[in-house]
Amino acid sequence: HPGYGFLSENAEFARKCEDNGIVFIGPTAETIAQFGSKTDARNMAIKAGLPVIPGSGAVPDVAAAKKFAEEFGFPIMVKAAMGGGGKGMRIVRTEKELEEGVPAAMSEAKASFGDGTVFLERYLEKPRHIEVQVIGDGTEVVHLFERDCSVQRR
């Protein structure tokens, strides 16, 4: 098991393990690839009937971001579609911040993850970041309860 970090979230690494007869203890390469993109993961959640906050697909430019803002209002979170760790994220509360924040987030996402795709979500003030760990063996699946990640270092 690669632990956490870049190898645990790398679909190509998991695929190479599979191709070379190495048992990768973790999600399949296909699952990692599906959840590597936040926009794809968001679409899967919607398709599964899960509630999600108002958001967009990939935003190609500031003009598209302004249309989202007109419909849903501020504040908005501009988020990198790939990667994590807070890189490529901006909270925007005004149209001027949106005009500056979208290109800045795209640039940071491209530099950090090799992909400048961003999307938008309505920003929630004082949210809680709750995760549920799920583990399975291909037949049986169990959850390991929830944890409040809001208190993590980053």
Side-chain angles (χ1 to χ4, degrees):
H1 184 273
Y4 65 93
F6 75 99
L7 288 180
S8 68
E9 299 173 6
N10 186 309
E12 187 59 27
F13 176 73
R15 190 171 288 106
K16 286 193 184 281
C17 287
E18 291 169 9
D19 292 347
N20 289 284
I22 299 169
V23 176
F24 180 83
I25 300 174
T28 64
E30 179 184 2
T31 300
I32 294 171
Q34 288 174 324
F35 283 93
S37 165
K38 292 179 190 73
T39 53
D40 289 348
R42 179 181 170 79
N43 288 336
M44 284 187 284
I46 292 167
K47 187 176 177 181
L50 298 172
V52 296
I53 60 175
S56 71
V59 175
D61 53 33
V62 172
K66 286 182 179 181
K67 286 182 183 175
F68 179 87
E70 288 171 11
E71 183 175 353
F72 296 104
F74 291 98
I76 295 169
M77 176 70 81
V78 182
K79 299 173 85 172
M82 307 302 279
K87 296 200 181 287
M89 292 177 66
R90 301 284 186 285
I91 300 167
V92 296
R93 299 178 186 281
T94 66
E95 188 170 320
K96 182 174 181 358
E97 289 179 0
L98 186 69
E99 291 169 352
E100 296 168 355
V102 169
M106 288 175 163
S107 177
E108 186 175 4
K110 177 76 172 166
S112 298
F113 312 118
D115 184 328
T117 305
V118 298
F119 69 105
L120 308 173
E121 286 184 333
R122 183 85 163 108
Y123 179 68
L124 300 176
E125 301 284 348
K126 298 184 181 177
R128 304 301 299 185
H129 177 166
I130 308 297
E131 291 183 0
V132 177
Q133 301 284 282
V134 179
I135 188 169
D137 64 4
T139 304
E140 301 293 325
V141 178
V142 297
H143 69 84
L144 304 177
F145 301 96
E146 72 280 351
R147 67 178 178 181
D148 186 350
C149 300
S150 306
V151 298
Q152 287 181 194
R153 181 172 56 102
R154 289 182 272 159

